[in-house]
Every structure is written in C-alpha cells, then in structure tokens.
C-alpha cells in the first residue's frame, strides 16, 4: 500500500491531508473545552449546535461554492481554503460569546466544504492507474481513522504542559502546513468547467449526474447506511459506556477505538480485496455487516447483559460497524471516478460530499432524540431499520449487471 507514496505529487498531497487532519483533531478537543468555559453545563448543547452548523455548511454550502469557483485553479482554491481555516482557528481562542463560536465554526466548515471535495477530485488525475488510486483511497481512510485515535492522545499529552487555548495554534500550524505543501507541489492540469449553464444548474449538476446513473444512485442509498451506523456510535457511545456499563471517559475512548480499529483493519486489506471482488459485492457486504451490527446492538441492549458481557459485546459490535463503514466508504471514490468524465469530476465529488452528509441531518437527531425520549433500545432499532431499508434500496438501485465503469457502459 505504501508504494503509492513514492509518487512525489501524491506523497506531498497525502502529507498535507494528514497534517491538516491532525490540526482539525486538536481543534475538536480545544473547542469542547472552550464551549465548557463559556457555557458550563450547557456545553453539550453548544457542541450539538456547532455539529448541526457543520452539517448545514457541508450540505448547503459545498455545491454553491463549487459552482461559483468551478473555473478557479485548484491550487488557488485549496490554498485559499487552508488560509481561511487557519485564520478562523487563530481567532477561536479570543471568543467570549457562544454566538461567536457558531459564526466562526460556520466559516471554518464552509472552507472545509470547499477544500475537501476539490482535494478528493484532484487525486484521480494524480494517480490515473486503478491499482494506485485504490491504494491511495485506503491510505486516506487510514488517515481519517488514525486522526480520530491519535489527535485526542496528542491533545491529552499537550494539555499536561500547555493551556487548551494553545491547541488552536496546533490547528493553525496544520492548516498552514497543508497550504505550504499544496503551494509547492506541481499539480496536474484539470479541465476548466463549461460556463454555458446558469449558476443554479451548475449547483445541482453533480447531483443530477448521480441521480442519472444506477451505480451512483446505489451509492446514495449506501451513504445512508453509513450515516445510520456512524450516528449511533458517535452520539450514543458515551451513554452506553457511562450509564449502561458504568464505565469512565477512558472507556468511551476504548469503545470509539474499537470502532476505528475495525475500520482500519478493513482499509488495510482493501487494495487486495478489490482486486478479487467487484466493488458492488464489497459495498453491499458492508451494508449487510452494518445492518447486522445495528441489529445485534438492539438485541444486546434488550438483553441487558452483565458488565463484562456487555463490554465484550459492545466492543465486538463497534469493531463490526467500523469494518462495515470502511467497506462502503473506501471504494466509494472509485465509483465516482469510474462514473464521471474528468470535466464533471469536481461537481460529482462535491455532490457526493454534500449528499453523504445530508444523511447525518436525519440520523444524528434520530439517534440522540429517540435515545433520550424513548430509550436506547428504540434508538438502536430505528438505526437498524434505516440501515436495512437503505441497504435493500441500494441493491435494487444498483443492478448486478450494471457496468461499474462509465467507459464500459458506453
């Protein structure tokens, strides 16, 4: 897998991604502590609102910015987004009102919604060979999983010697480092977009492409499967560990680590797996794993096992859910590459970025509100039902005989 890093351009871009991710992870820890300073016991509500703002920016802002900036050179776009993110991170330690957090988070996430799809759509041009691109996707998945594990640990070590406000400087350094690496890398040329269509048509162009192709319609349904699993894990793990299993904050980290470990193990084996098995079979297997894992979670919560059996069951199920999400997420960019011409790629990657996060606007509130208002068994059951229905829909929308590659379809 690491052979792909020998490509100088990809190696520098991957390093930029890792550096920016580590900075983002530090800001996540620092933002939670800042929210507690400003809101005390209401910090959870502040962070929940900030998370909702993040999703709104991803869903609503990304397509608009992509359409407006479709003729801006990729280097200028990526560096500008990093600069905006660095400036926002630099301003966060100085806020003294909750509303200021909301405004800055919206700007920060709007910049991320600009950077991420543009960055992802560039990689297929950097690595035209399918095998190299698949390895790059696995490395990218690993980078996200490792960031989720390493950033909190790095922040914990740093906080023994510095104030949490200084963590934001680490975030600034991450974004500046990313900008420098992109600025000094020879990026491949990307065809300019046509401007004959009006702005409104360009905003929805990527979504129209996805809706018009059976393979990508199936991917849209699979995005909802991932959202159902991820929301239950991220929203309710702390409740399961603290209230149902009598665990501590360390236990929460261990549980989330099991989820990340399952994802990483699959990502490591994905290049070889996709060599032997079709993308559709791999991704639908991931959907089945997630639906089964969420069903198992429902049964585990219903049975109310003892502490040790409860821990063993949850860690196993969380690893299972992580594996299922990686089986879907890692190959998804391959589908976007196969199903688009190069001039449409940025718009389609943006649409996938936006629409995949739209699922979280449904599943995040459901996981939290149903768990709080009705009970954790009901929350798990609802998540399992959503994942199962979405998996069945994906299998029907993506016919088994439909060619994965657009060239083959022609």
């Amino acid at each position: 897998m690491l052979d792909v890093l020998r490509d100088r351009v990809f190696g520098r871009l991957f390093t930029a991604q890792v550096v920016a991710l580590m900075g983002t992870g530090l800001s996540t820890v620092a933002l939670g502590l800042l929210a507690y300073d400003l809101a005390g016991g209401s910090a959870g509500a502040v962070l929940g609102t900030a998370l909702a703002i993040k999703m709104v920016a991803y869903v609503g802002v990304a397509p608009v910015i992509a359409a407006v900036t479709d003729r801006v050179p990729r280097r200028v776009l990526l560096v500008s987004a990093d600069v905006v993110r660095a400036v926002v991170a630099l301003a966060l330690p100085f806020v003294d009102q909750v509303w200021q957090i909301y405004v800055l988070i919206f700007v920060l996430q709007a910049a991320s919604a600009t950077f991420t799809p543009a960055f992802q759509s560039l990689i297929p041009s950097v690595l035209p060979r399918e095998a190299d691109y698949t390895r790059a996707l696995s490395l990218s998945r690993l980078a996200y999983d490792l960031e989720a594990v390493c950033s909190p640990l790095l922040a914990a070590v740093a906080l023994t010697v510095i104030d949490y406000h200084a963590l934001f400087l680490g975030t600034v350094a991450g974004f500046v480092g990313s900008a420098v690496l992109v600025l000094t890398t020879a990026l491949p040329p990307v065809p300019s977009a046509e401007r004959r269509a009006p702005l409104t048509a360009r905003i929805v162009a990527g979504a129209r492409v996805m809706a018009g192709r059976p393979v990508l319609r199936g991917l849209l349904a699979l995005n909802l499967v991932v959202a159902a699993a991820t929301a239950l894990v991220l929203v309710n793990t702390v409740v399961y560990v603290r209230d149902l299993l009598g665990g501590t904050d360390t236990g929460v980290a261990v549980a989330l680590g099991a989820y990340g470990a399952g994802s990483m193990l699959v990502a490591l084996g994905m290049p070889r797996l996709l060599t032997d098995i079709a993308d559709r079979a791999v991704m639908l297997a991931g959907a089945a794993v997630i639906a089964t894992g969420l069903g198992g979670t429902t049964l585990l919560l219903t049975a109310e096992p003892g502490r040790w059996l409860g821990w063993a069951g949850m860690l196993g199920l969380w690893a299972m859910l992580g594996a299922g999400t990686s089986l879907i997420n890692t190959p998804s960019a391959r589908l976007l590459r196969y199903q688009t011409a190069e001039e449409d790629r940025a718009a389609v990657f943006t649409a996938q970025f936006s629409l995949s996060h739209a699922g979280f606007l449904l599943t995040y509130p459901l996981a939290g509100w149903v768990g709080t208002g009705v009970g954790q068994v009901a929350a798990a059951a609802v998540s399992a039902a959503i994942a199962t229905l979405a998996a069945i829909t994906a299998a029907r929308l993506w016919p088994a005989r439909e060619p994965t590659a657009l060239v083959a379809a022609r």
Side-chain angles (χ1 to χ4, degrees):
M1 187 189 301
L2 297 179
D3 286 348
V4 73
L5 293 175
R6 295 176 182 173
D7 183 285
R8 181 175 175 81
V9 175
F10 175 73
R12 294 178 68 85
L13 290 177
F14 180 73
T15 303
Q17 179 190 22
V18 171
V19 168
L21 281 174
M22 294 304 294
T24 301
L26 293 177
S27 71
T28 300
V29 176
L31 186 62
L33 296 171
L34 176 62
Y36 188 81
D37 263 3
L38 295 179
S42 300
V46 173
L47 291 174
T49 303
L51 185 61
I53 290 171
K54 173 182 176 179
M55 290 301 129
V56 169
Y58 281 3
V59 174
V61 174
V64 177
I65 293 180
V68 172
T69 62
D70 56 0
R71 297 181 69 86
V72 176
R74 296 299 93 178
R75 187 195 310 279
V76 174
L77 190 63
L78 294 172
V79 172
S80 299
D82 269 335
V83 170
V84 170
R85 296 196 291 182
V87 170
V88 171
L90 193 61
L92 277 168
F94 301 101
V95 305
D96 56 9
Q97 300 290 328
V98 169
W99 68 267
Q100 295 170 349
I101 291 180
Y102 296 154
V103 172
L104 290 175
I105 289 299
F106 180 80
V107 176
L108 176 67
Q109 300 305 336
S112 292
T114 302
F115 181 93
T116 303
F119 180 90
Q120 292 174 338
S121 66
L122 187 63
I123 303 303
S125 299
V126 174
L127 299 171
R129 290 183 64 246
E130 179 182 322
D132 290 340
Y133 185 55
T134 302
R135 295 187 185 100
L137 294 179
S138 295
L139 280 175
S140 181
R141 183 72 252 163
L142 282 172
Y144 280 103
D145 291 333
L146 286 172
E147 181 274 321
V149 174
C150 295
S151 290
L153 295 177
L154 182 61
V157 172
L159 288 171
T160 62
V161 294
I162 61 174
D163 181 78
Y164 77 83
H165 291 91
L167 292 179
F168 287 115
L169 296 179
T171 302
V172 174
F175 293 142
V176 170
S178 173
V180 170
L181 284 165
V182 172
L183 191 62
T184 56
T185 301
L187 302 181
V190 176
S192 298
E194 294 288 339
R195 276 291 180 87
R196 288 175 292 187
L199 177 62
T200 52
R202 298 203 307 275
I203 290 173
V204 299
R208 285 181 174 174
V209 171
M210 296 190 73
R213 293 175 184 161
V215 173
L216 298 185
R217 288 201 297 267
L219 176 59
L220 290 175
L222 290 170
N223 289 335
L224 187 57
V225 178
V226 171
T230 305
L232 189 76
V233 170
L234 295 185
V235 173
N236 290 338
T237 293
V238 64
V239 179
Y240 297 163
V241 172
R242 298 298 298 271
D243 293 349
L244 303 181
L245 298 175
T248 63
D249 290 346
T250 302
V252 175
V254 170
L256 293 175
Y259 178 78
S263 179
M264 285 190 286
L265 285 174
V266 168
L268 284 169
M270 191 60 71
R272 184 179 298 275
L273 187 66
L274 290 174
T275 300
D276 301 325
I277 305 176
D279 295 65
R280 181 181 185 274
V282 169
M283 298 176 77
L284 290 180
V289 168
I290 287 175
T292 302
L294 290 173
T297 302
T298 306
L299 294 176
L300 182 70
L301 295 172
T302 302
E304 297 183 356
R307 181 176 181 181
W308 296 112
L309 283 177
W311 267 110
M314 190 180 75
L315 293 177
L317 288 166
W318 261 220
M320 186 176 180
L321 292 174
T325 57
S326 192
L327 284 168
I328 295 174
N329 280 336
T330 306
S332 62
R334 283 167 46 108
L335 300 187
L336 302 181
R337 180 194 189 194
Y338 292 149
Q339 290 282 304
T340 56
E342 192 170 15
E343 61 270 19
D344 298 328
R345 195 167 287 155
V348 174
F349 269 82
T350 300
Q352 163 66 2
F353 180 83
S354 176
L355 295 173
S356 63
H357 285 90
F360 290 104
L361 289 177
L362 169 67
T363 58
Y364 271 137
L366 278 177
W369 295 343
V370 174
T372 300
V374 183
Q376 297 303 330
V377 173
V382 168
S383 297
I386 291 173
T388 301
L389 291 174
I392 294 171
T393 301
R396 293 179 65 86
L397 290 175
W398 184 352
R401 295 183 179 180
E402 183 70 24
T404 299
L406 185 63
V407 173
R410 291 174 179 172

